[in-house]
Amino acid sequence: MALQLYSHPYAAYGQKASVALYELGLPFELRLVDANDEASMAAFREVSPFGKMPVLVDGERRLVESSIAIEYLDGLAGGGRLIPADPDAALEARLIDRIVDIYIGGPMNRIIPRKFRPAGNEDPYGDAQDEAVLASGWDWLEDRLSDGRTWGAGETFTLADCCAAPILTYARRLVPFGDRPLLKAWHRRLMARPSFVRALEDAAPFGDLMPAPPARDD
Ligand SMILES: N[C@@H](CCC(=O)N[C@@H](CS)C(=O)NCC(=O)O)C(=O)O
């Protein structure tokens, strides 16, 4: 039975998983999570304990949390690619994945829903706090990239890059990269990676759903 991915092509964490699937050349069926379609939401709720995308289903097996799904997929494809075989390199890939998820994706996923709140419920203090967390994430990544690595965790494309490609692309629209040349150069490489180009093509028919202006600091 084919792998199934419960997701929406515009969702950052869904793209993280589809980038991994495309990198590994693993075919999958998209189970579209469509907030406007009750049947799709009922099917999604059955597999997603916290109502979060993506969920990967492989036969009887259900994998929530994008990083865990990617570890599983890497093993399914033979291992040693998105999670490097070398233990130190694997630790670095997991570290960058965690930092991007927690200090970039975290504040991003708090700022965005606040933008959809009804008038009068704004939280400028919360926004400023989260923007500061995000900026500190940018600083940390800029410093980490200063050893000249090509990809997020070294010379090969890993879990770190699957995570960073979509999350950096959306988060920079909330807090620009600014004067961080290494971060910008890494992001340019991510934008050109065929697996991410494909994920962006999957999302294109849904338009631009991000409640923030396009990034202007290339
Ligand atoms: N830690 C989770 C984060 C997943 C996540 O935040 N997904 C978002 C889409 S990008 C979501 O499902 N949001 C729907 C909601 O919160 O209602 C993972 O890595 O899978």
Side-chain angles (χ1 to χ4, degrees):
M1 191 194 284
L3 292 168
Q4 296 179 345
L5 186 70
Y6 286 77
S7 185
H8 189 288
Y10 198 85
Y13 286 85
Q15 290 180 6
K16 175 176 165 182
S18 58
V19 166
L21 285 154
Y22 291 142
E23 280 292 328
L24 297 168
L26 294 171
F28 66 100
E29 265 172 29
L30 175 69
R31 291 298 172 108
L32 183 68
V33 178
D34 178 357
N36 299 315
D37 178 58
E38 190 36 50
S40 127
M41 292 311 287
F44 174 53
R45 279 192 292 270
E46 276 196 16
V47 295
S48 182
F50 304 106
K52 297 284 181 191
M53 305 172 249
V55 179
L56 178 74
V57 175
D58 184 12
E60 294 300 303
R61 198 135 194 192
R62 181 189 308 173
L63 296 117
V64 294
E65 286 301 313
S66 53
S67 305
I68 304 301
I70 291 174
E71 293 231 11
Y72 177 79
L73 291 171
D74 195 54
L76 209 58
R81 288 170 63 186
L82 298 179
I83 309 295
D86 173 72
D88 285 339
L91 266 190
E92 184 68 12
R94 292 188 179 102
L95 173 64
I96 303 296
D97 172 69
R98 291 299 75 224
I99 298 295
V100 171
D101 187 4
I102 295 167
Y103 300 103
I104 308 292
M108 173 181 91
N109 274 347
R110 291 189 292 273
I111 295 169
I112 292 174
R114 282 191 210 117
K115 291 187 182 289
F116 292 105
R117 286 183 181 176
N121 292 280
E122 295 83 2
D123 179 6
Y125 184 77
D127 286 343
Q129 278 188 317
D130 280 322
E131 284 162 10
V133 173
L134 224 157
S136 72
W138 289 160
D139 283 339
W140 190 91
L141 289 168
E142 181 75 6
D143 185 56
R144 203 72 175 182
L145 293 164
S146 65
D147 61 5
R149 63 186 67 184
T150 304
W151 295 108
E155 291 314 298
T156 63
F157 190 100
T158 66
L159 166 69
D161 303 288
C162 298
C163 182
I167 293 174
L168 268 57
T169 301
Y170 286 128
R172 66 184 293 229
R173 293 175 62 172
L174 303 172
V175 176
F177 289 146
D179 184 20
R180 298 181 182 91
L182 301 174
L183 190 56
K184 284 184 184 174
W186 176 33
H187 183 251
R188 276 195 293 273
R189 289 191 283 278
L190 293 169
M191 289 297 288
R193 185 81 177 181
S195 56
F196 187 46
V197 170
R198 220 169 143 186
L200 291 174
E201 284 168 1
D202 293 343
F206 297 92
D208 186 1
L209 308 176
M210 178 81 177
R216 298 193 193 283
D217 68 338
D218 277 319

